[in-house]
Amino acid sequence: MPDLLLELRSEEIPARMQRKAAGDLRKAVTDALVEAGLTYEGAREYWTPRRLTLDIRGLDARSKDVREDRKGPRTDANEKAIEGFLRSAGLTSIDQAHKHSDGKKGEFYVAHIVKPGRAAEEIIADILPGIIREFPWPKSMRWGAASREPGSLRWVRPLQSILCLFGPEVGETVVVDFEVSGIRSGDRTVGHRFHAPGEIRVRRFDDYVQSLERARVVLDADRRKDIIRADAQNLAFAQGLELVEDEGLLEEVSGLVEWPVVLMGEFEEAFLAIPPEMIQLTIRTNQKCFVTRHRGQGALANRFLLVSNIEASDGGAEIARGNGKVVRARLSDALYFWRTDQNPLPDLGALEASAARFGLDLAKPLDQRMAKLDALGVTFHAKLGTQGARVARIADLAEVLAPMVGADAALSRRAALLAKADLTTEAVGEFPELQGLMGRKYARLQNEHTSVQAAIEDHYKPQGPGDRVPTDKTALAVALADKLDTLVGFWAIDEKPTGSKDPYALRRAALGVIRIILENELRLRLGTLITSGDLLSFFHDRLKVQLRDSGARHDLVDAVLAGGSDGAAKDDLLDIARRVAELGRLLETEDGRNLLAAYRRAANILAAEEKKGTRVAGAVDPALLVEEEERVLSSAVEQAERELDEALASENYASAAAALARLRSPADAFFDKVLVNAEDEAIRANRLALLARIRAATQRVADFSKIAG
C-alpha cells in the first residue's frame, strides 16, 4: 500500500509550539483522510525549527465506491413528488429508478446510487490546502506583498515550501499537486540553513531522512534530545563535572537546532558566590544553557554547556567565548541583585510606621523589605486590599492554626510576616520564579529560626500535583493560612471558579490545602476556620478529585459525606478520606459486595412500604421474631451496633467496616427464608423495623444509596 510524505518548511518556528503543531498536523490530516473514506496503517509526525513533517504509511490508493439505496415515492405519486425525488437522487429520468414493493404500501421507486471512489492523490490535494490555511497556530503572521490581499495566508512564520509525495514503498512516487497562496507543492526541500542550503530532491520518507542527515538536519526531535543529553554528559564528565539535568530546557533547545553541537563555556569563579538557583536561572533564561556541578559534591562549577546549531571551523571556540561574555554580563547583574538585597534600604524613616505595625526590626534587610511592601501599598486585589493587609491576615490566621498543626505560634507568626517580604527584592523582581526561595536565603543570612526559613520558602507549596508538600510544622501553619486566606477572601467577594475559568488558581489552592492535610495527617475542622457552606462544598468537590486521582471512587466520597450518622465531621477531610478508604476496601471483598446487595434489598423494601404508608415498628420486638433466620439477623444487628459504637468512637474504620461485613451472611439467609410482608400486620411491622436497623447501621459509616454499581 502507498505512503504519504508531507513537509511544511518555514522560517524558524518557536520551540514551544513545535511539538503540539506537529501533533495538530497529524490529527488534522489523518482525520480528514478517514472522513474522505481512506484508511491507513500508521502515522508519525516529526519537527525541527524549520519544518513540520508527516509520514503516513499504508494509505489506501483510492476510496471505496459508496452505494446507497434511496427510497422514493409510490409509483402512482403525482408528477411533482416524482420530480423532487429525481432531483434529490441525481437522476434525469424515472426510467433510471427501480420499482420495489413491500406488500403493504404497494409499489414505490428506489434509486440505486453509486458514488465512485476517488484516487487518494485527488483527495489529498483537496484537503491539504484547507488544513494549511486553517492551521491552529497560537500566533500567526502575514508576510510579503501578498499580505495586503484579503484572505492571504497566515502562518506562524513565513512558509517557504511544501513537499508532498505519494507512492509505494518500492517504486516511483508522484508529487501530489496543489497550491497554497502561491506556494506549489513539489518534491524538493533544503537541508541545514548554513551547512547545506541547496535543494534536495526527495522520493520517499527513508531517503528524505537520510538526505536530511547528510545535509546536517536531524529530523527526529527525540533523537536530537538524546544527542544533546549524551554529548553534554560526556563533555562534562571529561572535565570532572556532571550535567545538572533540566528536562524543560532540553526540550526547548532541541527545538532551537537542527544539527546539535554541544560546547562548553566558562565564567569567573567569583560568580559562584551567587546562590546556585540564581546562577542556573540566569544562564537558563538568558542563554538557554545548562549548568554543571562538581561530580559527587553537588556544588555548581564555573562551566556551562551550550548547544550550537553549526559545526564551526574553530571547533566552536568563538561561539563558546561569545556565550561566556553574555553569561558573565548576566551574572554580574545577578551578583548586583544578590548584594543589593542584603544592604539597608535608603530612607528607612519612611518605613517606621509599617515596621511598628508589624513588629518588624528595621536593622534586618528582610524586615525592611516587608515594611517596604506595606508602605508601598501594593494592591493584592481591588476588593481585598493591599499585600500588607493580606500579610496581616495571614499572620493572624497562622497564629491560630499553629497549635492545630503542632507548630509554635510565635514562629508561625514571624514566618507569616516575612513570607512575602522577598516580593520587593531585586532578585525576585528579576526572577519571579525565585519568590519564597530567595526569602529563605535572606532569612538565613539574618539568622532566622530554621523553621521560619523553611516556612518562607514552602508556604507557596504545593503548586501542582507534582510539587512536594511542606512538612515543617511552622511551614504547615503558614502554607494553610496563605491558601485559606485566598479562598475565604475570593469567596467573600463572590469571585469563584466558573467552568474552566479559574484566574486566581482557587482550585489549586483548595487542592493544596487538601494535600497538606492528608499527607501530613492533620485533624483540622475546616468549619472552625471558614464560615461559608458553599466553600466547604467546594472543598468536598476538590477532595473527590484528589481521592479519585489517588485511586478512590468518587461515589464513595458522596456516600461518606451523606452518611456518618454518629455526628461524623463533614469538615474533617482526613476523617472523610479514611472512611472512604475503608469503605473502598470493604466493597472490594465478596462480603462487602453482598452486604451492599442486602442493603439495597432492605432499603428498597422499606422505601416501597414507607411510600404506601405501611406501619414500621419503632423498635424490634424480640417476641415477634418467629423465624430462626430473623432471630439470627436481629442478634447479628445488635452485635454489629455494639461493635460500631466502639469502632466509631475510636475512629477505627477498619473495625467498623468489618462489623458491617459480618451482617452479610445472616442478611442473605433472612431474605432467602423470611417473607417480610407477612399477613400478620404486627409481624410485618417488626420485620420492617429490623430492616430499618440494618439501614441505620450502614448509615453510621456511609449512605450506601449513594454507591454506584
Side-chain angles (χ1 to χ4, degrees), residues 262-554:
V262 181
L263 304 170
M264 180 173 281
E266 63 179 313
F267 54 86
E268 287 76 11
E269 289 191 353
F271 289 122
L272 294 176
I274 305 170
E277 296 85 357
M278 280 187 75
I279 295 175
Q280 183 175 10
L281 196 54
T282 298
I283 293 176
R284 183 193 203 277
T285 302
N286 294 293
Q287 288 303 103
K288 313 300 180 190
C289 295
F290 298 87
V291 295
T292 63
R293 59 188 167 216
H294 295 285
R295 195 160 60 242
Q297 298 180 22
L300 289 190
N302 65 325
R303 306 287 182 90
F304 63 92
L305 296 162
L306 62 119
V307 183
S308 171
N309 193 35
I310 60 172
E311 289 182 347
S313 57
D314 65 353
E318 188 60 25
I319 295 172
R321 189 194 68 79
N323 275 265
K325 184 177 179 180
V326 177
V327 164
R328 282 190 289 275
R330 298 299 187 184
L331 288 177
S332 293
D333 292 341
L335 184 60
Y336 169 79
F337 299 147
W338 170 243
R339 288 174 174 169
T340 299
D341 288 340
Q342 298 174 49
N343 293 329
L345 288 170
D347 195 16
L348 290 178
L351 305 179
E352 289 179 355
S354 293
R357 177 186 174 197
F358 288 97
L360 300 170
D361 182 355
L362 290 182
K364 298 179 176 180
L366 199 57
D367 291 57
Q368 295 173 24
R369 296 288 175 171
M370 178 54 221
K372 180 180 179 181
L373 180 67
D374 180 61
L376 289 173
V378 178
T379 300
F380 169 63
H381 186 280
K383 295 181 180 179
L384 294 174
T386 65
Q387 285 281 13
R390 181 165 185 256
V391 168
R393 294 195 303 269
I394 294 172
D396 289 342
L397 184 52
E399 199 168 16
V400 171
L401 283 164
M404 300 181 185
V405 301
D408 180 86
L411 289 178
S412 298
R413 183 172 191 84
R414 175 65 175 167
L417 290 175
L418 297 179
K420 307 294 183 184
D422 66 356
L423 295 178
T424 61
T425 61
E426 301 292 327
V428 173
E430 180 71 11
F431 300 116
E433 305 96 319
L434 294 179
Q435 58 187 282
L437 175 65
M438 295 311 299
R440 178 174 193 158
K441 293 184 179 297
Y442 296 137
R444 182 184 302 136
L445 289 175
Q446 64 183 45
N447 297 317
E448 296 292 337
H449 192 282
T450 54
S451 288
V452 172
Q453 297 174 29
I456 292 172
E457 178 180 7
D458 289 352
H459 82 282
Y460 292 107
K461 298 181 180 300
Q463 293 189 309
D467 197 11
R468 65 179 177 84
V469 169
T471 55
D472 180 274
K473 295 187 184 304
T474 301
L476 295 179
V478 181
L480 287 170
D482 179 55
K483 293 167 179 58
L484 288 171
D485 176 77
T486 298
L487 290 161
V488 170
F490 282 106
W491 246 253
I493 62 173
D494 201 28
E495 289 277 2
K496 306 167 188 174
T498 56
S500 61
K501 295 182 179 179
D502 187 9
Y504 303 110
L506 301 181
R507 292 187 181 94
R508 186 175 70 186
L511 282 171
V513 170
I514 291 167
R515 284 190 60 200
I516 289 172
I517 288 173
L518 298 187
E519 295 183 30
N520 287 281
E521 298 188 339
L522 300 177
R523 300 303 301 271
L524 280 183
R525 297 294 300 270
L526 288 179
T528 64
L529 303 168
I530 60 177
T531 57
S532 168
D534 188 26
L535 179 52
L536 184 58
S537 295
F538 182 71
F539 270 109
H540 289 161
D541 290 340
R542 294 301 94 198
L543 180 63
K544 292 178 193 176
V545 173
Q546 178 64 28
L547 294 180
R548 183 189 63 210
D549 290 347
S550 301
R553 289 166 43 180
H554 68 87

Side-chain angles (χ1 to χ4, degrees), residues 73 118 156 172 199 204 394 428 639 657:
R118 302 168 64 202
V156 63
E172 288 303 314
E199 280 194 341
R204 57 179 48 82
I394 294 172
V428 173
Q639 178 65 23

Side-chain angles (χ1 to χ4, degrees), residues 69-110:
D69 291 339
R70 183 169 298 177
K71 186 177 179 181
R74 288 167 53 95
T75 55
D76 58 357
N78 62 48
E79 186 176 345
K80 190 172 183 180
I82 291 175
E83 287 176 355
F85 167 61
L86 292 176
R87 284 195 301 271
S88 68
L91 304 180
T92 57
S93 168
I94 197 62
D95 295 335
Q96 295 173 312
H98 298 261
K99 295 179 180 179
H100 288 246
S101 175
D102 63 4
K104 293 181 180 179
K105 296 182 180 179
E107 202 170 39
F108 56 90
Y109 289 113
V110 174

Side-chain angles (χ1 to χ4, degrees), residues 9-12 141-144 153 155-161 183:
R9 184 175 62 84
S10 69
E11 293 292 335
E12 275 71 8
M141 61 180 289
R142 294 189 178 98
W143 64 92
L153 177 65
W155 197 249
V156 63
R157 295 290 184 271
L159 188 62
Q160 296 177 326
S161 70
I183 304 171

